[in-house]
Amino acid sequence: MTLATEAPAAKRNLRPAAIASRYGTFLAFLALVVFNMAVTPNFLSLQTLNVNLTQVATIVVVATGMTLVIATGGIDLSVGSLMAVAGALAPMLFMGQLGIPPGPLALVLSFVLPVLLVMAFGWFNGMLVTRFRIQPIIATLVLFIAGRGIAQVATNGNLQVFKNDAFQFVGLGRVFGIPAQVIVMVVIVLAADWLVRRTALGRQILAVGGNEKAARLAGVPVVRVKTLVYVLSAALAGVAGLIVVARNSASDANLVGLGMELDAIAAVAVGGTLLSGGKANIYGTVLGAFVIQLVRYTLLANGVPDAAALIVKAGLIIVAVYIQQRAARG
C-alpha cells in the first residue's frame, strides 16, 4: 500500500462513525459499569456479578449461533421457540413420560434428544432458505410460530415442575465456584471463535455472506454452508433451552425463550457483526450480550419496568445498524 492510499484509509479510521463502530460497544459497556457503580446499590457485590453472569449466559449461547447465521446474510427468528421445544422435551424424558424409565439412560437422553430434535428443525429452516429460496426472515418465522405451539401441545400447556439434581447441574451447579452454565458459555464461545478464525468452514461462512455468487463460483458449497449454520444455531438454542429449564426447576412452554430472538439479534448487531453478512465478530457478540444484559439490569435495579427494556433493546439495534451503515459509507 502506498502513502497515497494509506492516508485516506487512516482518515476513514479516524471518522466518528468508524470509531463508534470499532469501540462503541466497549465504551457503552464501560459507561454502564460506571453508571451502576455510582447509582445502583451493591452493584460490585459477588451476588450481582453472579446474577448478571447467569442471566447473560443463555443470551451469549443463542447469540453465538445467531452470529453464524447473520454472517451468511441470514436471520433466525425461531431460536426462542426452539428453546421452548428443547425445554419441554427434556423433563418429559427424565421424568419417564415418554416410556423410558427414569434413570441414567433417561438422563443422558434428556440432554441429547432435545438438541438433536431442534437440530432437525434447524435443518428444516436451512432447507426452506436454500432449496425453496424463501427469505430467511419468512422461513424462520414458520417455526417462530409453530415451534412454541409444538412445545405447548407436547406438554398440554401445563407447567412441568421437577427436581433432578443431575439434570439441574447445568443450570444450578458450580465447578470450582464458577456456575456451570458460564463454563458452557465460555466453551461455546471459544469453539465458535476457533471455527470462524481457524477453519475452512469459517472462511466459507464469511465468503457466503460477503458475496454468495462469487463464493459459489469459487467452489464454496453454499447450500451446505447455509444449511449448517441454521443447524448450529438451532443446536445452541436447544442447549440454552436446557439451561433455562434446569435453572428454573420448571419448564413452561409459554415462557421459555420468549423474546430471545430480540436479545440475540441485538447482541449481534451491537457487537459489530454486519447484519448484511460477511463478518462474524464472536467476541463482539459476547460484549454486545453483556451490554444488553446490563441495560436490562440497570433498568430493573433502578425501578424501571422490564417492558421498557424492550424499547431500549430495539433502540440499540437501530443505533448499531445506523453506525454500521455510516462506517461502511465512510
Side-chain angles (χ1 to χ4, degrees):
M1 182 182 290
T2 64
L3 291 176
T5 56
E6 286 178 356
K11 289 181 179 179
R12 285 196 298 269
N13 290 333
L14 291 176
R15 289 183 177 180
I19 294 173
S21 178
R22 181 172 297 183
Y23 304 111
T25 306
F26 181 67
L27 293 176
F29 175 76
L30 286 182
L32 284 167
V33 170
V34 172
F35 176 83
N36 279 287
M37 288 172 61
V39 174
T40 306
N42 303 315
F43 177 71
L44 295 179
S45 67
L46 288 177
Q47 182 179 3
T48 299
L49 176 63
N50 180 72
V51 167
N52 281 294
L53 281 176
T54 53
Q55 291 295 323
V56 82
T58 50
I59 300 176
V60 170
V61 170
V62 176
T64 298
M66 186 71 75
T67 302
L68 300 179
V69 172
I70 289 178
T72 65
I75 199 81
D76 190 353
L77 298 182
S78 68
V79 289
S81 295
L82 296 184
M83 287 177 63
V85 171
L89 179 58
M92 296 172 69
L93 284 164
F94 66 71
M95 290 193 298
Q97 297 178 9
L98 297 179
I100 303 173
L105 176 60
L107 179 64
V108 172
L109 291 178
S110 67
F111 284 105
V112 175
L113 290 184
V115 175
L116 291 178
L117 176 61
V118 296
M119 287 174 69
F121 284 132
W123 175 84
F124 173 76
N125 283 336
M127 287 297 100
L128 291 181
V129 172
T130 58
R131 301 295 184 184
F132 294 93
R133 307 284 185 179
I134 299 175
Q135 288 292 327
I137 194 170
I138 302 301
T140 57
L141 185 64
V142 173
L143 280 174
F144 170 83
I145 299 170
R148 193 168 299 278
I150 292 170
Q152 291 170 339
V153 169
T155 60
N156 292 319
N158 297 323
L159 175 67
Q160 299 182 92
V161 181
F162 56 83
K163 179 173 175 56
N164 186 307
D165 293 337
F167 176 80
Q168 291 178 263
F169 183 83
V170 71
L172 299 175
R174 290 177 176 271
V175 179
F176 301 112
I178 303 173
Q181 58 187 299
V182 174
I183 295 175
V184 172
M185 174 191 74
V186 170
V187 170
I188 287 173
V189 167
L190 292 176
D193 185 68
W194 174 80
L195 182 149
V196 170
R197 294 175 181 269
R198 303 295 183 184
T199 69
L201 176 60
R203 292 189 290 272
Q204 291 172 345
I205 289 172
L206 301 184
V208 170
N211 190 322
E212 183 176 329
K213 183 178 293 185
R216 184 177 285 107
L217 292 174
V220 174
V222 173
V223 170
R224 186 171 67 190
V225 170
K226 293 179 76 171
T227 302
L228 183 57
V229 294
Y230 285 98
V231 172
L232 291 175
S233 176
L236 294 182
V239 171
L242 298 182
I243 292 173
V244 168
V245 298
R247 185 174 64 210
N248 294 339
S249 304
S251 174
D252 186 347
N254 299 296
L255 297 178
V256 172
L258 189 64
M260 182 58 77
E261 305 84 10
L262 178 60
D263 285 343
I265 295 170
V268 175
V270 173
T273 293
L274 299 176
L275 295 183
S276 57
K279 181 179 179 182
N281 188 343
I282 299 296
Y283 291 129
T285 293
V286 174
L287 191 57
F290 273 89
V291 169
I292 298 301
Q293 171 57 29
L294 275 180
V295 165
R296 181 171 183 269
Y297 175 83
T298 302
L299 294 173
L300 290 176
N302 290 279
V304 180
D306 191 30
L310 297 175
I311 301 173
V312 176
K313 291 172 191 175
L316 286 173
I317 294 176
I318 294 172
V319 172
V321 173
Y322 174 75
I323 291 173
Q324 287 178 10
Q325 291 178 340
R326 287 293 301 274
R329 287 198 297 265

